[in-house]
Amino acid sequence: MTSNNPVSVADGDRERLLHGTHHDPHSVLGAHPVPGGIAVRAFRPYARTVTAVAGSDLRAELHDDGDGFFSALLPLSEVPVYRLLVEYDGTVQETEDAYRFLPTLGDLDLHLIGEGRHERLWEALGAHPVTHQGVPGTRFTVWAPNARGVRVAGDFNFWDGTGAPMRSLGSSGIWELFLPGIGEGELYKFEITRPDGSRTLRADPMARRTEVPPQTSSIVTASRHEWDDAEWMAHRGDTPVHEAPFSVYEVHLPSWRPGLTYRELAAQLPAYVSDLGFTHVELMPVAEHPFGGSWGYQVTGFYAPTARLGTPDDFKYLVDALHRAGIGVLMDWVPAHFPRDDWALAEFDGRPLYEHADPLRAAHPDWGTLEFDFGRREVRNFLVANAVYWCEEFHIDGLRVDAVASMLYLDYSREPGQWTPNEHGGRENLDAVAFLQEMNATVYRRSPGVVTIAEESTAWEGVTRATDGGGLGFGLKWNMGWMHDSLEYMSHEPVHRRYHHHEMTFSMVYAYSENYVLPISHDEVVHGKRSLVSKMPGDWWQQRANDRAYLAFMWAHPGKQLLFMGQEFAQGAEWSEAHGPDWWLLDPEYGAAADHRGVRDLVRDLNIVYRATPALWQRDTAPDGFQWIVGDAAEDNVFAFLRLDAEGTPLLAVSNLSPVVRDYRLGVPEEIPAWHETLNTDLARYGGSDVTNPDPVKPEPLGSHGRPASIRLTLPPLATVWLRPA
């Protein structure tokens, strides 16, 4: 239906608005000066009448031009501040006209977005409740450069975006619309008309809150949380992480105590972690993800904490509570890839946008997901700003970056012919390298005290070297080699360990090539790998003894420590996200509870002694902070070494990984007058046989292990002992 009204919407504009392909609806709709007055045009599908109202003396019913279009010529010389009375069947609504407002994004925002340098991108894009030109409402903005048109759909328009077309802000690829009267809690998505004319309904890539999965809508939100962690934030960067105590309890929040919300976790998790003495928690990914079985590693809502456990402010409350308890919060962050769900990022505006345009580069070969196009500046900006977002908005103290190796190599899990070399003929993904360098440099510049940690399993050089020296710029790197080798050694019966001795010593060959974390993570206790205690050989007593000896060896080894939940009390079963740790093992009514409590008591004591002993952490990255006493006693299954603090004060760590008691002579520094046992994993209260060295041990002038003085120790079976100067 075409109107004869001289100020009605022209046929071409009308068709594009009806089909969702208009790039500038504000140029047509709203109020505009025309010859003879002011033309007011409204697009209100399903309305019976529309009336423009200004002040107390202007009330003009618009002409019904058909298909939801209404227009009128007002005999005015200037555009008035007006509202619309819209009559539907059985109801009349008085509302502001969304098409009378100026754009809500300024030139600086658009310039920074265009340059890929908007470090607080979440403040420019997404949905934000604001007061604009004196009117409360919500500003919607989205990047969709290939779209022919974008509209906002939500509960507020019955999920029909026809009457809410957005305007394109030039070459930026940004679409914008201020909807008056829309506030917090409203559900929304973007209805995108693709280049081929088809339409797709998409969640907001920048949504800061989402529905609870499997629902997929974005939610308009604003934070009300008032932080109470100023003291923590002011001092968290006082000591560089690599020179500070750093022992990490890794947690999958939805299953740690199944059914608890963020706020309920805040009442339990800080107290538990504090009691065990860990310095940090590391949260498996909390960003929104559709499939719980991915444990959070396939993210669709990069800017939204998962709604399964509460609101974004609820998550802030948990972080705040951990900080007030003196516990740092690390978070797994997944910038390598994203799932293919057709309501999320995949071919977001009808063409590859967040993913690489080359299908071979886009498809992640292992996980059925899509890899980000790290060479596209807007995508790089999306991810760099996301790292900044978690640190600045949620006070996160560190980002453990998942799957770095899969980002760095073009041929990762790909056969010949499935990948194309870089411009130099190599297999390095130069775009990903540049992205990681930019991300690390930006985070460290903006958020003092924050640490970034790479999960990187290859021999890539310079992962923790500064970016200005050609490195990737991470603060720490997971030592996957140490983890694989040491667990392989421990899995053997003691009688066979002599043939695998090097698996426990080889890590010291490269221990100072990077700044390392020693990870016993969730990945090691799932998918048939068995829990930590179940990897150990022998009967139940021997398994626990091996477990305890290994943990103390790990805590004494150069590098930071990470232990996954459940392993602190020797859970025998593999972890399952469906039911979490087997807390019942600690119930006094359970017959073997003392065995599990003993291991947990050891972990607590490891952390207590560790934090009080600078030799165990102050020089983790300095070769002169470590000295072998004996590293070649393969026949004895014995390892002994010194850790030294900045003042040269030592700690002696000795592991006897054979099931026999040994009377053992060890060379020691002659200047220490006596040693006392400060930790012994064989104590009866840990579940051991209580073979100890109760009295101070004094050196004798007998040479051993290349040293002029030595001590004689009783080494308990399958145990580690620590000694300090008496």
Side-chain angles (χ1 to χ4, degrees):
M1 174 179 175
T2 302
S3 170
N4 294 321
N5 186 341
V7 295
S8 64
V9 175
D11 287 351
D13 290 319
R14 186 186 184 101
E15 286 301 306
R16 284 185 287 157
L17 286 166
L18 285 169
H19 291 96
T21 59
H22 207 297
H23 72 285
D24 190 12
H26 293 69
S27 68
V28 178
L29 303 176
H32 300 273
V34 296
I38 301 296
V40 177
R41 306 184 189 98
F43 183 31
R44 294 283 169 160
Y46 314 114
R48 297 185 63 179
T49 65
V50 177
T51 302
V53 179
S56 58
D57 54 354
L58 176 64
R59 185 182 182 94
E61 184 172 334
L62 277 56
H63 182 265
D64 185 349
D65 298 326
D67 293 330
F69 291 95
F70 297 83
S71 62
L73 180 63
L74 305 184
L76 302 173
S77 57
E78 294 183 356
V79 174
V81 175
Y82 66 96
R83 294 169 64 84
L84 297 176
L85 287 176
V86 185
E87 180 191 358
Y88 297 98
D89 281 337
T91 184
V92 177
Q93 296 178 353
E94 182 173 350
T95 179
E96 298 282 354
D97 184 358
Y99 297 92
R100 78 170 182 84
F101 293 93
L102 297 170
T104 53
L105 273 193
D107 290 341
L108 179 58
D109 283 318
L110 293 174
H111 172 75
L112 292 172
I113 292 169
E115 293 287 311
R117 297 286 179 181
H118 203 306
E119 294 176 358
R120 292 181 68 85
L121 186 67
W122 66 93
E123 293 184 340
L125 298 184
H128 291 268
V130 294
T131 298
H132 182 46
Q133 293 175 219
V135 176
T138 293
R139 179 193 76 202
F140 294 91
T141 44
V142 64
W143 178 57
N146 298 305
R148 291 177 62 188
V150 184
R151 305 190 283 206
V152 181
D155 273 352
F156 43 83
N157 57 17
F158 304 98
W159 294 98
D160 183 346
T162 306
M166 305 176 76
R167 64 177 142 208
S168 170
L169 299 179
S171 60
S172 66
I174 305 296
W175 298 77
E176 181 267 355
L177 180 64
F178 173 71
L179 285 181
I182 303 301
E184 293 177 52
E186 294 280 8
L187 306 184
Y188 72 98
K189 285 187 177 181
F190 294 112
E191 184 187 272
I192 295 171
T193 303
R194 295 180 278 214
D196 65 1
S198 63
R199 287 198 282 274
T200 179
L201 197 60
R202 298 290 174 134
D204 183 359
M206 302 292 299
R208 290 167 294 121
R209 186 180 172 194
T210 69
E211 285 190 287
V212 178
Q215 303 304 312
T216 59
S217 294
S218 306
I219 301 178
V220 178
T221 190
S223 180
R224 297 280 185 274
H225 182 75
E226 294 186 10
W227 289 95
D228 193 23
D229 64 349
E231 185 174 357
W232 170 269
M233 295 295 285
H235 295 290
R236 67 179 180 180
D238 286 355
T239 304
V241 165
H242 62 281
E243 298 175 0
F246 193 90
S247 65
V248 183
Y249 183 62
E250 188 187 24
V251 179
H252 178 253
L253 283 179
S255 69
W256 185 71
R257 298 276 193 188
L260 295 192
T261 65
Y262 291 127
R263 288 182 182 266
E264 290 165 342
L265 284 162
Q268 296 190 29
L269 184 61
Y272 184 81
V273 176
S274 293
D275 175 62
L276 289 183
F278 287 97
T279 66
H280 290 73
V281 293
E282 179 175 316
L283 309 179
M284 289 166 66
V286 297
E288 192 61 270
H289 50 284
F291 176 50
S294 77
W295 310 332
Y297 290 97
Q298 295 194 8
V299 177
T300 48
F302 281 81
Y303 285 79
T306 179
R308 292 170 175 86
L309 307 183
T311 68
D313 274 2
D314 293 339
F315 180 59
K316 290 180 179 181
Y317 183 88
L318 171 60
V319 175
D320 213 343
L322 286 159
H323 282 172
R324 292 197 306 275
I327 299 162
V329 182
L330 314 174
M331 186 184 94
D332 281 11
W333 184 57
V334 193
H337 64 125
F338 58 91
R340 296 174 179 265
D341 299 72
D342 61 8
W343 50 268
L345 295 182
E347 291 195 353
F348 181 75
D349 59 4
R351 290 182 179 155
L353 188 66
Y354 290 90
E355 67 271 42
H356 203 282
D358 179 349
L360 287 179
R361 286 280 295 275
H364 196 292
D366 288 349
W367 301 315
T369 51
L370 295 168
E371 296 188 13
F372 281 102
D373 181 359
F374 301 110
R376 186 161 191 162
R377 62 181 180 271
E378 296 95 340
V379 174
R380 210 161 55 235
N381 192 171
F382 173 80
L383 293 169
V384 171
N386 188 241
V388 172
Y389 171 75
W390 290 104
C391 297
E392 295 191 359
E393 293 291 327
F394 291 90
H395 292 196
I396 295 297
D397 303 297
L399 299 172
R400 178 270 199 184
V401 183
D402 183 64
V404 171
S406 78
M407 301 164 67
L408 290 175
Y409 297 98
L410 295 168
D411 63 346
Y412 183 88
S413 284
R414 292 179 170 91
E415 300 297 325
Q418 294 182 332
W419 64 282
T420 304
N422 64 32
E423 61 197 63
H424 306 300
R427 65 192 189 108
E428 300 82 11
N429 186 339
L430 301 179
D431 292 336
V433 171
F435 156 67
L436 290 169
Q437 290 174 325
E438 181 184 346
M439 181 277 297
N440 281 316
T442 304
V443 166
Y444 277 103
R445 170 171 52 81
R446 293 188 63 106
S447 299
V450 165
V451 62
T452 60
I453 306 166
E455 187 219 10
E456 204 286 311
S457 54
T458 75
W460 186 282
E461 189 175 347
V463 173
T464 58
R465 192 165 65 234
T467 54
D468 56 12
L472 295 182
F474 285 94
L476 298 167
K477 170 182 169 172
W478 274 21
N479 192 337
M480 313 294 275
W482 171 87
M483 180 270 297
H484 285 297
D485 288 349
S486 61
L487 289 179
E488 178 68 19
Y489 174 91
M490 293 301 299
S491 70
H492 291 287
E493 293 285 351
V495 67
H496 300 303
R497 285 175 175 169
R498 70 185 71 177
Y499 306 113
H500 299 270
H501 196 78
H502 64 284
E503 291 172 347
M504 291 290 267
T505 60
F506 181 65
S507 58
M508 290 312 304
V509 173
Y510 62 87
Y512 303 104
S513 59
E514 304 280 2
N515 304 337
Y516 282 116
V517 174
L518 310 179
I520 301 299
S521 74
H522 65 277
D523 275 332
E524 310 319 313
V525 297
V526 291
H527 300 327
K529 295 180 183 178
R530 297 176 294 174
S531 71
L532 182 59
V533 73
S534 298
K535 297 175 192 289
M536 304 299 170
D539 60 22
W540 176 230
W541 190 95
Q542 291 172 320
Q543 284 184 309
R544 286 181 292 120
N546 275 302
D547 187 11
R548 295 191 306 268
Y550 178 71
L551 288 170
F553 174 86
M554 169 184 174
W555 252 251
H557 190 287
K560 310 307 182 183
Q561 291 74 37
L562 178 139
L563 191 65
F564 182 59
M565 64 184 197
Q567 311 317 300
E568 78 274 16
F569 57 82
Q571 173 172 318
E574 288 188 342
W575 169 63
S576 162
E577 83 278 358
H579 67 254
D582 290 333
W583 297 108
W584 58 269
L585 295 170
L586 299 168
D587 188 334
E589 299 297 314
Y590 173 59
D595 297 345
H596 297 279
R597 288 176 178 270
V599 175
R600 189 169 67 170
D601 288 342
L602 170 69
V603 170
R604 180 188 295 109
D605 289 351
L606 284 172
N607 278 324
I608 290 171
V609 178
Y610 168 78
R611 294 175 76 160
T613 310
L616 290 173
W617 41 262
Q618 202 169 50
R619 304 172 86 181
D620 268 332
T621 60
D624 56 1
F626 176 93
Q627 294 176 15
W628 278 115
I629 298 293
V630 53
D632 57 359
E635 294 299 318
D636 300 332
N637 300 350
V638 168
F639 306 85
F641 53 83
L642 294 173
R643 297 295 307 279
L644 303 159
D645 67 18
E647 306 300 320
T649 305
L651 176 136
L652 172 60
V654 188
S655 296
N656 172 25
L657 299 177
S658 63
V660 297
V661 178
R662 296 191 184 278
D663 184 23
Y664 216 78
R665 183 169 293 279
L666 288 170
V668 292
E670 57 184 336
E671 66 272 13
I672 305 298
W675 299 81
H676 76 92
E677 194 173 86
T678 190
L679 185 133
N680 183 328
T681 66
D682 192 48
L683 291 185
R685 68 190 191 88
Y686 301 147
S689 56
D690 221 25
V691 174
T692 67
N693 296 274
D695 301 318
V697 184
K698 296 182 178 180
E700 302 171 79
L702 292 173
S704 184
H705 301 113
R707 296 173 183 269
S710 61
I711 57 174
R712 200 164 194 88
L713 281 179
T714 300
L715 300 184
L718 297 175
T720 294
V721 295
W722 293 355
L723 299 101
R724 289 195 292 190

